[in-house]
Each structure stands twice: as C-alpha cells, then as structure tokens.
C-alpha cells in the first residue's frame, strides 16, 4: 500500500484570491510549496491535489484555462524535481447541477485511493476549508485545516518527523 498527501489547490498550493482563479496570470504558486512538497516526497508520500472548480460549471472560465494552470503547476514543480502525481477536480457547482465529486463529498479521494492503492490511515489532507477536512475524514484520511495561503511547511515537518 502507498501513502499520500492530499492537498486542496486554491489557498494551499496557489494564492487564494477571494475570487475564482480564472487564468494563468491569476495562478501564483505560494512560496513555501516547493519546500513542503519536497519534505513529503522525500518521505515517500504520493502528492495528490483535489480541488473544487465550480467556476467551470458557472462558465467563469473554461477547462482549457484550468488545464493551462495545471500544466504550469506540474512543470514548475517538475523543475524542482517534484512529481505531482494527480490533480483531481470537480467542475460542477450546486447552483448548476448536483454531483458526487464536489468536496465535502469524497468521490475524488476514493478514486485516488483505488487508483494508487493508498492506505487512508497513513495519509493526510491539507486544506483551508472545513469541507476539505470533512472530505478526507469521510474516508479515514486525517486532515489539517490551515488559513488560506498559510505556510504549511511546519505541518509537513510534523507529519514526517
Ligand atoms: Mg481552498
Ligand atoms: Zn462534481
């Protein structure tokens, strides 16, 4: 079995703007992310992002804009020798349609657990909203709730000590 760190995207990986992150120029990787992900990767964790992107359903931005941000993120991290294993996203918004994948629902985490043979009891979720924590807890993944844009390197050090 593998172990993984699940990370919310906006406010954990890139800067939370208080509005949808709609385009590449809005996407600012937070300064502590490389250090934090390296700690996890060196300690044998898979790195998996799980993000609600309801702005797609609301047509605030498109999948192609989101994909360009995710490409940029993966490439920026890869230059630092960090492999982001998977980015799962929910494109739905409850105003438009119901779904089973929007956090706090746990479907996307369940998919990751199955695909990568992850043991939830050895895995953690870092998020800046209670729904992130609830999403992990629903499948036995312990959560760490941070403030938006907070430096979570101390959490990585604590988990990996
Ligand atoms: Mg967030
Ligand atoms: Zn969904």
């Amino acid at each position: 079995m593998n172990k993984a760190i699940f990370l919310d995207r906006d406010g954990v990986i890139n800067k939370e703007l208080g509005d949808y992150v709609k385009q590449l120029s809005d996407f600012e990787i937070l300064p502590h992310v490389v250090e934090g992900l390296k700690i996890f990767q060196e300690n044998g964790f898979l790195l998996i992002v799980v993000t609600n992107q309801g702005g797609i359903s609301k047509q605030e931005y498109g999948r192609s804009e989101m994909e360009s941000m995710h490409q940029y993120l993966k490439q920026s991290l890869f230059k630092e020798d960090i492999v982001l294993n998977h980015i799962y996203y929910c494109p739905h918004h409850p105003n438009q349609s119901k779904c089973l994948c929007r956090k706090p629902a746990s479907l996307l985490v369940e998919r990751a657990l199955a695909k990568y043979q992850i043991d939830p009891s050895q895995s953690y979720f870092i998020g800046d909203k209670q729904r992130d924590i609830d999403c992990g807890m629903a499948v036995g993944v312990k959560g760490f709730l941070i403030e938006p844009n907070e430096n979570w390197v101390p959490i990585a050090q604590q988990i990996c000590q």
Side-chain angles (χ1 to χ4, degrees), residues 80-150:
E80 304 285 348
D81 298 317
I82 296 164
V83 175
L84 197 55
N85 296 96
H86 207 118
I87 302 175
Y88 289 92
Y89 68 93
C90 163
H92 310 109
H93 191 278
N95 291 353
Q96 312 290 329
S97 61
K98 299 282 177 229
C99 74
L100 296 171
C101 51
R102 182 179 167 85
K103 294 175 290 184
S106 55
L107 181 64
L108 297 179
V109 173
E110 288 170 52
R111 278 194 197 152
L113 294 178
K115 180 178 171 75
Y116 294 97
Q117 301 184 330
I118 294 163
D119 177 358
S121 71
Q122 291 189 70
S123 301
Y124 301 88
F125 203 126
I126 300 176
D128 64 356
K129 288 206 170 86
Q130 187 60 41
R131 69 185 181 199
D132 299 317
I133 308 311
D134 293 345
C135 166
M137 272 186 17
V139 290
V141 173
K142 186 181 180 203
F144 285 88
L145 182 61
I146 62 166
E147 294 296 321
N149 306 330
E150 183 183 337

